[in-house]
Amino acid sequence: MSEGALVLFSGGQDSTTCLAWALERFATVETVGFDYRQRHAVELECRAPVRQALGGMNPAWARRLGADHLLDLSVLGRISDTALTSGAEITLTQAGLPSTFVPGRNILFFTLAAAIAYRRGLRHIVGGMCETDFSGYPDCRDDTVKALQATLNLGMDARFVLHTPLMWIDKAATWRLAEELGGGALADLIRDATHSCYLGDRSHRHDWGYGCGTCPACALRAAGYRRYRAP
Ligand code: ZN
């Protein structure tokens, strides 16, 4: 409990749940976000209000919530040609991967997060990667994260612990985890204030939150919410 954590915090459902999870466990919790010119850059605008709301929800969380870091990763948008960083159609590529896959993204995210954690003296790094119910991204796999932990610790002569609390649970269980951590208030905050839609749509409101309602991120979020709310 005396140790510090850095949470990869995008402003989405998964990373907000991870942030609450970390606030419950660590004495100091800082956050890092990345602007890689994502099509749904609106998620970045959700970060500050969500952080503020989490602090307002629980006095202990407010005490533990530390600095926020926002890194400009526009280079990632420039070197990748994906449906998440351009107007390209969201489909399956010839390699059998979703066209929203941004090669190297999570590897870069963890590497830069570790560089910040090194400077800030934070031992734990938390990310919302998930293998269950996931989008088919190879850099969300448990093996990728475990290999990265070994690489970062060797390469920085450090003892970072990479945590992925959502790795083996599905989207419905992610909603339930949020409710366990912060009650219905946290589940409601995540529904109303976090962003998942790949198209960046915050003009259409559904029972599961804002989004276009049809992209893969919306479909996953909607299906998970319905299973979570089902009797
Ligand atoms: Zn959508």
Side-chain angles (χ1 to χ4, degrees):
M1 193 61 183
S2 64
E3 295 189 319
L6 179 64
V7 178
L8 275 62
F9 177 55
S10 68
Q13 174 188 356
D14 292 344
S15 67
T16 300
T17 307
C18 285
L19 179 51
W21 180 89
L23 285 167
E24 197 62 24
R25 270 166 189 75
F26 300 107
T28 317
V29 180
E30 301 190 6
T31 50
V32 59
F34 303 95
D35 179 357
Y36 57 100
R37 303 301 189 264
Q38 54 269 56
R39 195 165 168 177
H40 54 311
V42 65
E43 72 177 3
L44 296 174
E45 293 167 25
C46 296
R47 298 177 73 255
V50 168
R51 273 177 47 99
Q52 196 175 5
L54 285 173
M57 213 169 257
N58 179 325
W61 291 2
R63 277 197 306 278
R64 294 169 192 159
L65 187 59
D68 181 42
H69 313 268
L70 183 66
L71 299 189
D72 179 358
L73 266 189
S74 55
V75 62
L76 191 55
R78 280 204 302 280
I79 59 176
S80 55
D81 175 25
T82 76
L84 221 54
T85 49
S86 73
E89 192 190 346
I90 297 178
T91 174
L92 271 189
T93 66
Q94 281 184 334
L97 286 170
S99 60
T100 47
F101 171 59
V102 182
R105 180 176 59 163
N106 287 340
I107 296 171
L108 267 175
F109 284 5
F110 268 120
T111 304
L112 292 168
I116 293 176
Y118 189 97
R119 170 167 62 90
R120 307 285 294 173
L122 305 168
R123 179 157 185 250
H124 301 271
I125 304 174
V126 185
M129 294 74 199
C130 172
E131 249 194 60
T132 317
D133 205 20
F134 80 142
S135 315
Y137 298 161
D139 58 352
C140 286
R141 289 187 292 212
D142 192 48
D143 285 352
T144 305
V145 177
K146 288 208 162 47
L148 268 171
Q149 175 174 296
T151 302
L152 293 169
N153 284 334
L154 281 169
M156 297 191 194
D157 195 20
R159 287 308 296 164
F160 295 121
V161 185
L162 271 48
H163 299 267
T164 51
L166 313 183
M167 184 58 78
W168 305 113
I169 65 176
D170 66 13
K171 285 280 179 198
T174 301
W175 286 106
R176 282 196 294 275
L177 174 61
E179 193 179 317
E180 281 165 33
L181 289 164
L186 180 58
D188 288 351
L189 172 76
I190 288 173
R191 182 193 61 204
D192 297 332
T194 70
H195 184 84
S196 299
C197 174
Y198 283 153
L199 304 186
D201 186 331
R202 287 198 74 71
S203 60
H204 295 93
R205 159 101 188 166
H206 312 265
D207 57 348
W208 45 266
Y210 291 94
C212 72
T214 51
C215 78
C218 282
L220 202 57
R221 179 167 166 142
Y225 191 76
R226 295 209 174 106
R227 285 202 312 279
Y228 157 64
R229 298 293 290 180

